[in-house]
Amino acid sequence: MKTITLAFTGASGLPYGMRLLECLLASGQRVHLVYSQAAQIVAKQELDFTLQDWYAPMASGSNPGDAMVVCPCTMGTLGKIAGGVSDDLIARAADVMLKEKRTLILVPREMPFSAIHLENMLRLSHAGAVIMPPNPGFYHHPQSVQDLVDFVVARVLDHLGVEQSLMKKWGE
Ligand SMILES: Cc1cc2nc3c(=O)[nH]c(=O)nc-3n(C[C@H](O)[C@H](O)[C@H](O)COP(=O)(O)O)c2cc1C
């Protein structure tokens, strides 16, 4: 069992995050879920838990867990992480993952990307983060929006090293 921090931020694409949460829990992983205020606004739905505070485990380098995924990730949060600005729990937890050399996956959603967004992503990639924009492939002949969501979530699960049966790997 892995301990994974999953963060929702206020970008479009919450279905990816929700599906990822569902799959991680179904596969028996321990998940720390955090979300920004903007995520609540964009989601426009009630989530039956309270926001984590600064004493949450992932805020400390002594207890970082195995991996963190920000899905979906806004350009704002991306910029904060790239700049080392740890002024909220999500940015701080991501900063901890980078400094402790743990897996940090970002699922950035914006279109188009500005040069600033792209430079931030390059900087994060150099720092060890995995940048996984939600760009589903079409070679598996998706029949529904859910198929497209599952394509993206399957790739994230693969990178986390979590077994998944959403999508076969190419050639299987
Ligand atoms: C309906 C809606 C959709 C949004 N979609 C995106 C998006 O896809 N990508 C993005 O970077 N920001 C998007 N935003 C803007 C962010 O929510 C905003 O920049 C917010 O301050 C980000 O805060 P956070 O990173 O703490 O969640 C959207 C806002 C709204 C209201």
Side-chain angles (χ1 to χ4, degrees):
M1 181 183 71
K2 295 176 193 286
T3 299
I4 295 168
T5 299
L6 174 59
F8 297 159
T9 63
S12 183
L14 199 76
Y16 296 115
M18 294 297 282
R19 182 67 163 147
L20 183 57
L21 175 62
E22 188 182 300
C23 292
L24 288 172
L25 293 177
S27 70
Q29 315 304 319
R30 175 186 291 148
V31 180
H32 293 301
L33 181 65
V34 286
Y35 55 91
S36 68
Q37 288 188 332
Q40 295 174 73
I41 294 165
V42 173
K44 282 193 172 64
Q45 64 182 72
E46 286 285 307
L47 295 175
D48 191 21
F49 55 84
T50 48
L51 284 170
Q52 304 279 344
D53 59 30
W54 282 97
Y55 302 101
M58 67 291 243
S60 166
S62 66
N63 193 6
D66 300 299
M68 176 174 179
V69 186
V70 185
C71 176
C73 183
T74 62
M75 296 305 101
T77 291
L78 186 93
K80 272 196 216 179
I81 302 169
V85 181
S86 301
D87 67 348
D88 63 30
L89 181 56
I90 293 173
R92 168 62 183 164
D95 198 53
V96 167
M97 301 313 283
L98 292 177
K99 82 184 178 75
E100 299 296 331
K101 309 291 184 201
R102 305 292 167 95
T103 299
L104 173 64
I105 297 174
L106 305 175
V107 183
R109 196 272 149 196
E110 189 49 278
M111 187 177 169
F113 291 127
S114 72
I116 292 170
H117 302 151
L118 293 166
E119 283 176 4
N120 283 338
M121 283 188 257
L122 181 61
R123 193 165 193 209
L124 285 162
S125 179
H126 283 153
V130 182
I131 308 295
M132 302 192 75
N135 297 341
F138 288 83
Y139 50 81
H140 63 309
H141 303 295
Q143 302 297 309
S144 64
V145 171
Q146 189 64 48
D147 288 348
L148 297 172
V149 170
D150 282 358
F151 183 102
V152 170
V153 171
R155 297 293 288 127
V156 173
L157 291 168
D158 288 344
H159 268 265
L160 287 170
V162 171
E163 280 294 316
Q164 56 86 15
S165 55
L166 299 176
M167 280 275 306
K168 286 185 183 159
K169 295 186 177 64
W170 183 251
E172 283 183 353

